[in-house]
Amino acid sequence: MRFHTEALNKCLELDDDEFGFIMMDGNKTLFSMLCVNSREVLHIFCENGYNYVRKTDELATIFFIDPALGQPNVSRLILAGSGKYFEKMREDTGKCVFDMNDTLKALEMGATEIVIVWEDLDITRYVLKKNITGKVVIKYLSKKQEADMSNFHNLASSADMYVQEKMLLVGVVC
């Protein structure tokens, strides 16, 4: 197996911050800290089956999240491993979702137990009312999308939509 590390080398040369590093291959995981002039292996473990992913997740939290602040204790986290393992992670098992739209659908259906959200997520939930029909539309917009007034305009009727509610997505989820 060959790893292409050119991009990582450039990051390490330019940055004095510590990087977290997780190397996974499907049953063995290495956790380490990297900096310009040093590297420290934090832990290595081998495990088979379902517990492998759970244990990797738990140890990543222990090594790279400051428990007092609930914030990362590294400037970047690098996740590396065999393509076969990452393909397995991408399989649609229906047990977890990663993108915003799938997460919101799961929330609406009441199908979630745990939601992990970046607290600085810069997405706003808008409840908009169509001027002519009175129909309510919900949109999730980034700051860039908020600046585009066409997102507040009903293209079918050429009428503006009025904001009934505006809330940061983090507030909606939590």
Side-chain angles (χ1 to χ4, degrees):
M1 184 178 337
R2 169 130 166 69
F3 294 98
H4 300 279
T5 61
E6 295 81 13
L8 295 177
N9 290 337
K10 288 178 185 175
C11 286
L12 288 171
E13 289 170 6
L14 300 174
D15 205 334
D16 287 338
D17 292 339
E18 287 188 314
F19 291 70
F21 186 80
I22 303 173
M23 169 68 84
M24 308 164 70
D25 75 356
N27 68 350
K28 185 176 182 180
T29 300
L30 173 135
F31 297 88
S32 65
M33 296 289 272
L34 305 174
C35 198
V36 175
N37 296 319
S38 66
R39 116 185 130 181
E40 176 187 359
V41 174
L42 302 172
H43 188 71
I44 299 174
F45 80 91
C46 294
E47 183 93 30
N48 288 318
Y50 172 76
N51 283 334
Y52 172 71
V53 175
R54 183 186 54 76
K55 188 171 181 178
T56 299
D57 180 44
E58 289 172 358
L59 289 171
T61 301
I62 290 168
F63 292 127
F64 303 120
I65 302 293
D66 182 330
L69 302 174
Q71 297 288 320
N73 60 11
V74 291
S75 63
R76 293 181 180 96
L77 183 61
I78 301 164
L79 182 61
S82 70
K84 182 179 177 181
Y85 179 70
F86 287 105
E87 286 298 319
K88 189 174 182 180
M89 285 177 62
R90 287 181 20 189
E91 289 176 4
D92 186 8
T93 63
K95 294 182 180 178
C96 74
V97 293
F98 296 97
D99 72 2
M100 186 181 72
N101 292 328
D102 288 344
T103 301
L104 292 170
K105 287 176 191 171
L107 280 170
E108 289 170 7
M109 294 185 310
T112 57
E113 287 182 39
I114 298 170
V115 178
I116 300 172
V117 179
W118 177 45
E119 71 180 52
D120 291 331
L121 182 65
D122 204 12
I123 302 289
T124 302
R125 178 183 184 261
Y126 282 89
V127 178
L128 304 169
K129 186 174 184 178
K130 292 184 178 180
N131 188 26
I132 296 172
T133 64
K135 183 178 176 184
V136 173
V137 176
I138 297 175
K139 291 190 175 190
Y140 299 92
L141 304 174
S142 67
K143 290 290 181 197
K144 184 177 180 180
Q145 291 169 320
E146 285 179 304
D148 180 357
M149 297 317 306
S150 70
N151 285 306
F152 302 96
H153 190 76
N154 184 350
L155 296 176
S157 67
S158 296
D160 288 333
M161 293 187 284
Y162 296 96
V163 177
Q164 287 191 310
E165 185 180 319
K166 176 182 175 184
M167 183 180 222
L168 286 174
L169 182 59
V170 173
V172 173
V173 172
C174 299

